[in-house]
Amino acid sequence: MGAQLRVYKRRIRAVTATKKITKAMEMIAASRIVKAQRKVAASMPYATELTRAVTAVATGSNTKHALTTEVEAPVRAAVLLVTSDRGLAGGYSSNAIKQAERLSARLRAEGKEVDAYIVGRKGVAYYGFRERKVAESWTGFTDSPAYGDAKRVAAPLIEAIQADTAEGGVDELHIVYTEFVSMMTQNPVDDRLLPLSLEKAAEESSAKGEILPLFDFEPSAEDVLDALLPRYVESRIYNALLQSAASEHAARRRAMKSATDNAGDLIKSLSRLANAARQAEITQEISEIVGGASAMADATAGSDK
């Protein structure tokens, strides 16, 4: 019985240590969410206005450009998947991967080849385990991305969209990331970055009551779009990285809170079992003492006779 009590005490100490770790990780994630939210809010105006400017330039000119021109028969698409570098974030990375898988299946059903670009070790490990080809991958910055990271990610994508498909270029650029809605809600989404859907952008502007301005282009509309293309892709990718980082911290906080609560429940359960084992041990010792005393009393009574 004493051995069983020692087992329970050892498990209680182990779970208590785990609870301290998960609680600390929960507090760290909670502190990082606020900073990530501020970065997301700060990046939104620039991305919104840049998209608005690109839409205005595209609708105000007849120039055919990779930024706005739909390919009649697209044959290849690039999919940028944003996952995390670290685990212990619940289903954050797996949900984004599932969304990318659904998008890739849809693109292949449309007769398009898919080139995978991966951000985060979890996505790289997923594709590597299945021996799938990855065009480019980046790791090491998913929990706190900087604009320079977005530029590094955007560079090969911009090169691919500008190249001919016969030389390894792509006709479309899609991105899969996790949209931060609130502390409790983060949704994996997929957006088509290029070509820019002018109709969708115009509908969003009209829904907000905005009127697109008229522009004079100098030296030409094509040169203006060439200059805006990298800025547009970089800003959209940067915003997606920031939203994914905020979502990762929120998911990790929620997962660590659940782990902490579960550890507390397990400690209570083990404590009850340990108390029951200790009571059983005490009862057994009392029974042994009473039995021994009774035996001694019987022996004494027998010797008196």
Side-chain angles (χ1 to χ4, degrees):
M1 191 62 69
Q4 186 178 12
L5 183 59
R6 286 194 296 272
V7 170
Y8 286 137
K9 288 183 177 180
R10 185 165 58 248
R11 290 189 62 188
I12 289 173
R13 288 194 297 269
V15 176
T16 301
T18 302
K19 182 181 177 181
K20 291 180 180 179
I21 295 173
T22 56
K23 184 63 177 179
M25 294 182 67
E26 176 190 349
M27 295 176 65
I28 292 172
S31 66
R32 290 178 176 176
I33 292 174
V34 178
K35 185 177 181 181
Q37 283 181 290
R38 290 174 181 170
K39 287 186 176 181
V40 172
S43 70
M44 288 299 294
Y46 178 76
T48 301
E49 289 301 319
L50 187 56
T51 302
R52 185 168 175 263
V54 170
T55 304
V57 173
T59 54
S61 68
N62 296 322
T63 303
K64 291 185 177 181
H65 195 274
L67 187 62
T68 58
T69 304
E70 295 276 357
V71 179
E72 293 183 1
V75 296
R76 182 175 294 171
V79 175
L80 173 63
L81 169 61
V82 181
T83 62
S84 66
D85 285 323
R86 299 184 294 130
L88 301 177
Y92 165 75
S93 291
S94 61
N95 291 336
I97 291 172
K98 290 177 183 177
Q99 186 70 20
E101 292 285 81
R102 288 192 289 268
L103 172 61
S104 299
R106 188 171 72 245
L107 293 174
R108 292 190 180 98
E110 296 172 357
K112 304 170 187 174
E113 297 181 16
V114 177
D115 292 345
Y117 294 79
I118 311 295
V119 173
R121 291 189 178 92
K122 291 299 179 180
V124 173
Y126 178 87
Y127 276 71
F129 180 77
R130 287 158 181 79
E131 298 182 351
R132 297 183 183 177
K133 184 179 179 181
V134 176
E136 195 90 24
S137 63
W138 304 266
T139 60
F141 56 81
T142 58
D143 59 343
S144 182
Y147 193 80
D149 300 319
K151 291 185 69 174
R152 287 196 293 115
V153 174
L157 295 170
I158 295 172
E159 183 179 350
I161 199 70
Q162 290 177 329
D164 189 85
T165 53
E167 300 175 355
V170 298
D171 299 315
E172 296 178 356
L173 171 57
H174 299 259
I175 182 171
V176 178
Y177 65 99
T178 306
E179 180 185 23
F180 182 85
V181 180
S182 66
M183 295 286 286
M184 297 302 297
T185 306
Q186 301 88 41
N187 298 325
V189 297
D190 61 87
D191 287 335
R192 192 183 76 172
L193 297 186
L194 296 175
L196 178 65
S197 178
L198 299 180
E199 294 181 358
K200 180 180 178 182
E203 289 176 0
E204 292 177 353
S205 298
S206 61
K208 297 178 182 178
E210 298 178 347
I211 299 176
L212 294 177
L214 297 176
F215 287 95
D216 288 330
F217 308 117
E218 187 177 333
S220 66
E222 184 176 0
D223 292 333
V224 172
L225 289 173
D226 283 339
L228 288 177
L229 174 61
R231 303 292 179 270
Y232 168 76
V233 176
E234 290 167 5
S235 67
R236 291 293 301 274
I237 291 177
Y238 182 51
N239 181 260
L241 292 175
L242 291 177
Q243 294 212 44
S244 295
S247 299
E248 178 185 349
H249 294 316
R252 182 169 290 111
R253 175 186 174 276
R254 190 166 60 251
M256 291 301 98
K257 185 180 186 306
S258 178
T260 302
D261 294 341
N262 291 338
D265 294 339
L266 183 56
I267 290 172
K268 291 179 181 178
S269 178
L270 291 172
S271 297
R272 285 194 293 267
L273 292 173
N275 290 335
R278 184 166 57 251
Q279 290 172 0
E281 184 177 351
I282 293 172
T283 302
Q284 183 178 355
E285 289 177 356
I286 292 174
S287 298
E288 291 174 353
I289 292 172
V290 171
S294 178
M296 290 179 63
D298 292 342
T300 302
S303 63
D304 291 340
K305 294 178 181 179

